[in-house]
Amino acid sequence: MVITSLENDRVKKYVKLKQKKYRDMYGEFIVEGYHLVVEAYKRGILKEMIIEENEAVPIEAHSVYVTYDIIKKISDVESPPKVMGLCSKVEYNDEVGSRILLLDGLQDPGNIGTIIRSAVAFNVDTVIFGRNTVDLYNPKVLRATQGMMFHINVIFDDLEEVIKKIKSLNIAVYGTKVTHGEDVRRIPVKDKKSYALVVGNEGNGVRDEISDMCDGNLYIRMNDKVESLNVSVATSILLYELGDMDE
Amino acid sequence: MVITSLENDRVKKYVKLKQKKYRDMYGEFIVEGYHLVVEAYKRGILKEMIIEENEAVPIEAHSVYVTYDIIKKISDVESPPKVMGLCSKVEYNDEVGSRILLLDGLQDPGNIGTIIRSAVAFNVDTVIFGRNTVDLYNPKVLRATQGMMFHINVIFDDLEEVIKKIKSLNIAVYGTKVTHGEDVRRIPVKDKKSYALVVGNEGNGVRDEISDMCDGNLYIRMNDKVESLNVSVATSILLYELGDMDE
């Protein structure tokens, strides 16, 4: 049976999940496209697949068939995929780990997704989303992660509280400044076994009250014609260096 | 005098410059916002400023005042700035330099702009746009460069031809592969004095015919859960390493 009505209750719920308040209320979110559906299945959080009529999907999961118009309505993109997944939010744990990335007020979903990919690539354990950072389950963030958010622990909390906890574990907390602090290339390997790195909003950087809590700042040496790098690039280079354990 | 009509010839030309064919025809392009107008002025290519009525801009240049509706029509963004600049295309030179980045078919303007910022940061001389790469003067690319395209040489050409020229200068040409080739961290300093790096399209990478011309491939060591990094991140890390001249 194919659902054809945009007024169908199930369809109305899928559409609501574009908004954070409903994702929080239901504890569910939508992923788009075959790749993310497979990743969600492997992670054990795929509840049902939403499939465009006549499309065959070789995954064993409850399937709901809908028209193209409905897919289009649920999707966040211009050219929607033929398969989507309704997922339960990932059950992340509370442990901060020992290689930690904190996001303070990032607003661009593409940047956040890209940063999560890089975090997994360079062996970060845990990404902490500050309250002022865009939602992980935002469709644009999910798309940019390419499913990597299933391979890392994520915590949503007040950064002040988390930083206190991290410091109580004797893990150094680094802020980021464009020119001040320590050249990340000079951090000795022994200091890379555990660390926490805070990165800030695209325009304003890390908030002062957070910056004040850091043990030091890291920077990337570069040509002085450039005021700053793109935040996802800068974060990725810092994580790349902090992930290098060669003597 | 304030231009108020969208039918004004000057206004019609500004709007046309959103399209590459007209930018190529006139040899001109539009930059948006105070920061880019200042950078264009410093580079000596600012022909006139397009200013929203009643706005004061402390730059000595021919000024054309227009209404908000006209600014909105010319602009590429939802919330347009109060000042824009009409510019002559930059007079780049033909010399390929000795630290060279080649772009093979990149399509995302944000990625290209971000990569140009990183190229300047890590002392690349010249960026080569292959014929199949999005135009440098695309408003979204310009915005993402943050004006850094005024601080680097740019060449638009067939990559095959340019690579032949680079090889005739005895400069090593590196392609990029996710896992094959040489770990970029292991490139000795003596090999970083001159190099050419080719990076490819977001989905498809470097074309085979270009890849076949390369002397070798570079990769970034990372966790094997990750298939690939975002292309602007990967390129920036490679340039960061190739720009490091410390022994």
Side-chain angles (χ1 to χ4, degrees):
Chain A
M1 212 199 73
V2 177
I3 300 177
T4 57
S5 168
L6 289 165
E7 296 306 311
N8 178 288
D9 281 344
R10 209 186 271 264
V11 172
K12 285 202 274 190
K13 181 178 151 190
Y14 296 150
V15 174
K16 279 183 182 171
L17 293 174
K18 286 182 170 180
Q19 295 174 59
K20 180 172 189 301
K21 69 172 177 180
Y22 291 109
R23 293 192 295 264
D24 290 346
M25 184 188 297
Y26 291 109
E28 293 176 339
F29 66 103
I30 300 278
V31 294
E32 301 197 21
Y34 193 74
H35 175 71
L36 282 176
V37 168
V38 170
E39 292 287 327
Y41 174 82
K42 287 195 284 188
R43 191 65 156 83
I45 59 168
L46 182 65
K47 295 180 85 164
E48 59 194 43
M49 292 190 295
I50 306 154
I51 303 172
E52 191 182 325
E53 50 183 332
N54 302 324
E55 182 71 10
V57 179
I59 298 174
E60 271 192 47
H62 179 67
S63 299
V64 177
Y65 291 89
V66 301
T67 59
Y68 172 79
D69 286 347
I70 289 175
I71 286 271
K72 177 92 178 144
K73 179 91 178 175
I74 301 167
S75 175
D76 181 59
V77 295
E78 280 293 306
S79 308
K82 289 180 186 295
V83 56
M84 302 191 192
L86 173 72
C87 307
S88 327
K89 284 193 179 184
V90 185
E91 288 194 14
Y92 291 116
N93 67 59
D94 287 343
E95 284 173 40
V96 292
S98 55
R99 286 184 303 276
I100 309 158
L101 176 66
L102 300 96
L103 308 181
D104 183 29
L106 276 81
Q107 294 303 312
D108 181 288
N111 282 339
I112 298 170
T114 297
I115 287 172
I116 289 176
R117 263 165 96 179
S118 297
V120 176
F122 303 124
N123 302 311
V124 168
D125 303 318
T126 310
V127 179
I128 322 268
F129 277 60
R131 300 285 183 207
N132 53 350
T133 289
V134 165
D135 187 27
L136 170 65
Y137 297 101
N138 172 306
K140 292 182 180 64
V141 173
L142 294 174
R143 194 159 62 246
T145 67
Q146 298 210 340
M148 286 303 123
M149 40 83 73
F150 298 128
H151 295 287
I152 199 163
N153 195 36
V154 180
I155 293 175
F156 308 88
D157 206 344
D158 285 315
L159 295 191
E160 286 86 342
E161 294 308 309
V162 181
I163 290 174
K164 281 180 204 159
K165 184 171 171 185
I166 293 169
K167 292 179 103 168
S168 74
L169 299 169
N170 284 318
I171 296 173
V173 180
Y174 298 108
T176 42
K177 298 252 164 165
V178 174
T179 50
H180 291 74
E182 210 166 343
D183 180 349
V184 67
R185 222 190 281 274
R186 300 273 161 268
I187 301 285
V189 169
K190 67 174 175 50
D191 293 347
K192 296 180 184 174
K193 299 204 165 76
S194 63
Y195 67 83
L197 175 69
V198 191
V199 298
N201 173 273
E202 289 81 358
N204 307 319
V206 176
R207 281 174 296 150
D208 286 345
E209 52 268 44
I210 298 295
S211 208
D212 290 345
M213 295 178 78
C214 293
D215 299 304
N217 285 298
L218 298 179
Y219 76 92
I220 298 163
R221 204 176 352 149
M222 58 190 182
N223 190 302
D224 59 14
K225 285 178 198 154
V226 177
E227 277 177 39
S228 67
L229 297 165
N230 167 287
V231 66
S232 62
V233 165
T235 305
S236 300
I237 292 175
L238 293 169
L239 296 177
Y240 166 79
E241 281 289 4
L242 291 168
D244 174 33
M245 302 300 280
D246 290 353
E247 296 292 343
Chain B
M1 213 199 75
V2 177
I3 300 176
T4 58
S5 168
L6 288 165
E7 296 306 311
N8 177 287
D9 281 345
R10 209 187 269 266
V11 171
K12 284 202 274 190
K13 181 180 149 188
Y14 296 151
V15 175
K16 279 183 181 170
L17 293 174
K18 286 182 170 180
Q19 295 175 59
K20 181 173 188 302
K21 67 173 176 180
Y22 291 110
R23 293 193 294 265
D24 290 346
M25 182 187 297
Y26 292 109
E28 292 175 339
F29 65 104
I30 301 277
V31 293
E32 301 197 21
Y34 194 74
H35 175 72
L36 281 176
V37 168
V38 170
E39 291 287 327
Y41 174 82
K42 288 195 283 188
R43 191 64 155 81
I45 59 168
L46 181 64
K47 295 179 85 164
E48 59 194 44
M49 293 189 296
I50 307 153
I51 304 172
E52 192 182 323
E53 50 184 332
N54 302 323
E55 183 71 9
V57 179
I59 298 174
E60 270 190 47
H62 179 66
S63 301
V64 176
Y65 291 89
V66 300
T67 58
Y68 171 80
D69 285 348
I70 290 175
I71 286 272
K72 177 94 178 142
K73 180 91 178 175
I74 302 167
S75 175
D76 182 60
V77 295
E78 280 292 306
S79 308
K82 289 180 185 296
V83 56
M84 301 191 189
L86 173 72
C87 308
S88 326
K89 284 192 178 183
V90 185
E91 288 195 13
Y92 291 117
N93 68 60
D94 287 345
E95 284 174 40
V96 293
S98 56
R99 287 185 301 276
I100 308 159
L101 176 66
L102 300 96
L103 307 181
D104 183 30
L106 276 82
Q107 294 303 314
D108 181 289
N111 282 339
I112 298 170
T114 297
I115 286 172
I116 289 177
R117 263 165 95 179
S118 297
V120 177
F122 303 125
N123 301 312
V124 168
D125 303 318
T126 309
V127 179
I128 321 269
F129 278 61
R131 300 286 183 207
N132 52 350
T133 289
V134 165
D135 187 27
L136 170 65
Y137 296 101
N138 173 305
K140 291 184 180 62
V141 173
L142 294 174
R143 197 160 59 246
T145 67
Q146 298 211 341
M148 286 302 123
M149 39 83 73
F150 298 128
H151 295 286
I152 198 163
N153 195 37
V154 181
I155 292 174
F156 308 88
D157 206 345
D158 286 317
L159 294 190
E160 286 87 343
E161 294 308 310
V162 181
I163 290 175
K164 280 181 204 158
K165 185 172 170 185
I166 293 169
K167 291 178 105 167
S168 76
L169 298 169
N170 285 316
I171 295 173
V173 180
Y174 297 109
T176 41
K177 299 252 166 166
V178 174
T179 50
H180 291 75
E182 211 166 341
D183 181 349
V184 67
R185 222 190 278 273
R186 299 274 160 266
I187 301 287
V189 169
K190 68 174 174 51
D191 292 347
K192 297 180 184 175
K193 298 204 167 74
S194 62
Y195 68 83
L197 175 69
V198 192
V199 297
N201 174 273
E202 288 81 358
N204 307 319
V206 176
R207 282 173 296 150
D208 286 345
E209 52 269 44
I210 297 295
S211 207
D212 290 345
M213 295 178 80
C214 293
D215 299 303
N217 286 299
L218 298 180
Y219 76 91
I220 298 164
R221 203 178 349 150
M222 57 190 184
N223 190 302
D224 60 13
K225 285 178 197 155
V226 177
E227 277 176 37
S228 68
L229 297 166
N230 168 288
V231 67
S232 61
V233 165
T235 306
S236 299
I237 291 175
L238 294 170
L239 296 177
Y240 166 80
E241 282 290 5
L242 290 168
D244 174 33
M245 303 299 281
D246 289 353
E247 294 292 344

